[in-house]
Amino acid sequence: MTTTTGEATLAARGLGHAYGGRAVLADIDFEVERGKFVCIVGPSGVGKTTLLRCLAGLQRSSSGSVSLSGREMTEPLPGVALVFQDYSRSLMPWSSVVHNVELPLRANGASRGAARTEALRALALVGLDEVAAGMYPWQLSGGMQQRVAIARALAYRPTLLLMDEPFASVDAYTRADLEDLMLRLQRELQLTVILVTHDIDEAVYLSDQVIALNGRPATVAEIVDVPLGADRDQVATKSTPEFAELRARVHGLIRGSRGTTS
């Protein structure tokens, strides 16, 4: 299934993947328009993380292709950043917060001074000050650690941000706070964001479009437009009839599907 609404930042064409001859993804076909927030949802084990790895260029698909602004994605490309679910494993506990954020910049040849400036800018974007910058990840709460992981991705100044269930390991209040943070950053920085989640409410709240996966192997059941406007509120937006209708529609698309690999 294909949707074309404008200039595509990323496109998957006939994407399929198999592990040991067992198909996990089949005929995945969609486009993500530049500057949009898109969530990928589906039952646990349907292959959401496998799909995200293919979209990031971290894993070659068994069939089909992924392209970024017309360039085939056979390996990670410049301008793409990835935020993982498990912030505690993605951050280096022996390095300060600011050093963690500097890491991709220094790896790409930035001077120490330039890397420090960009790292502090990125930390400020996610609401962390210079005091937090000098601390170690293990001295921060889970929500603050995930902010550090997001800052590290933003320091790279990506055009495409991929996120793999980034808020699944924090409490409900912190999760809502981080969701609103991402909505603000996506608008302010004009990012294209693709976020994998198992939470239907989260997907509808954050998205311009929701890509619902189901089946075995997984295919795109439907791409659902989410016309809830740019200004969203955790209570007011989720209380509207439109939100409830969209949530029910997405739930109906994925209900009863049971995959086996993620």
Side-chain angles (χ1 to χ4, degrees):
M1 181 175 186
T2 305
T3 181
T4 305
T5 56
E7 183 184 4
T9 292
L10 183 140
R13 297 292 184 218
L15 188 70
H17 194 72
Y19 292 108
R22 179 167 53 86
V24 177
L25 305 173
D27 297 321
I28 302 291
D29 207 56
F30 63 83
E31 292 183 356
V32 175
E33 186 181 350
R34 186 182 302 277
K36 296 298 184 180
F37 203 129
V38 174
C39 285
I40 299 173
V41 298
S44 179
V46 78
K48 300 185 296 294
T49 295
T50 295
L51 175 57
L52 196 72
R53 288 173 182 161
C54 292
L55 298 181
L58 295 174
Q59 181 171 289
R60 292 291 300 271
S61 60
S62 302
S63 59
S65 65
V66 177
S67 61
L68 179 66
S69 300
R71 181 178 177 185
E72 187 173 0
M73 178 92 74
T74 57
E75 61 183 3
L77 295 178
V80 180
L82 181 60
V83 176
F84 298 96
Q85 175 182 343
D86 194 346
Y87 48 81
S88 64
R89 296 178 64 182
S90 66
L91 299 175
M92 298 181 297
W94 58 85
S95 292
S96 68
V97 164
V98 71
H99 284 156
N100 269 279
V101 178
E102 289 174 351
L103 177 64
L105 302 170
R106 296 286 287 159
N108 279 278
S111 68
R112 185 178 300 275
R116 178 58 55 92
T117 297
E118 283 297 309
L120 292 175
R121 178 195 67 86
L123 286 167
L125 284 172
V126 300
L128 296 177
D129 58 20
E130 292 194 24
V131 173
M135 299 173 71
Y136 291 88
W138 51 268
Q139 295 176 305
L140 305 178
S141 68
M144 292 177 73
Q145 288 184 59
Q146 191 59 300
R147 286 174 183 259
V148 176
I150 294 169
R152 184 170 61 187
L154 295 179
Y156 188 60
R157 292 183 181 262
T159 56
L160 173 63
L161 180 62
L162 304 173
M163 310 184 82
D164 188 8
E165 300 197 36
F167 314 134
S169 300
V170 298
D171 62 85
Y173 179 84
T174 301
R175 185 174 193 143
D177 194 37
L178 290 171
E179 288 172 354
D180 288 335
L181 170 68
M182 282 312 307
L183 282 176
R184 175 177 63 82
L185 291 173
Q186 190 263 339
R187 289 194 301 267
E188 290 180 359
L189 303 178
Q190 299 183 326
L191 292 168
T192 304
V193 180
I194 301 176
L195 184 148
V196 161
T197 180
H198 64 273
D199 189 301
I200 296 172
D201 283 19
E202 179 171 84
V204 174
Y205 181 69
L206 290 174
S207 294
D208 296 303
Q209 289 182 316
V210 175
I211 299 175
L213 302 180
N214 67 16
R216 188 194 308 183
T219 59
V220 176
E222 189 174 329
I223 299 174
V224 180
D225 291 325
V226 182
L228 293 176
D231 296 324
R232 303 185 186 187
D233 177 82
Q234 289 285 345
V235 175
T237 300
K238 292 180 179 180
S239 299
T240 63
E242 292 81 5
F243 185 91
E245 290 170 6
L246 287 163
R247 184 190 186 282
R249 180 177 173 186
V250 174
H251 186 271
L253 288 169
I254 66 174
R255 185 177 58 185
S257 303
R258 299 187 63 85
T260 57
T261 304
S262 64

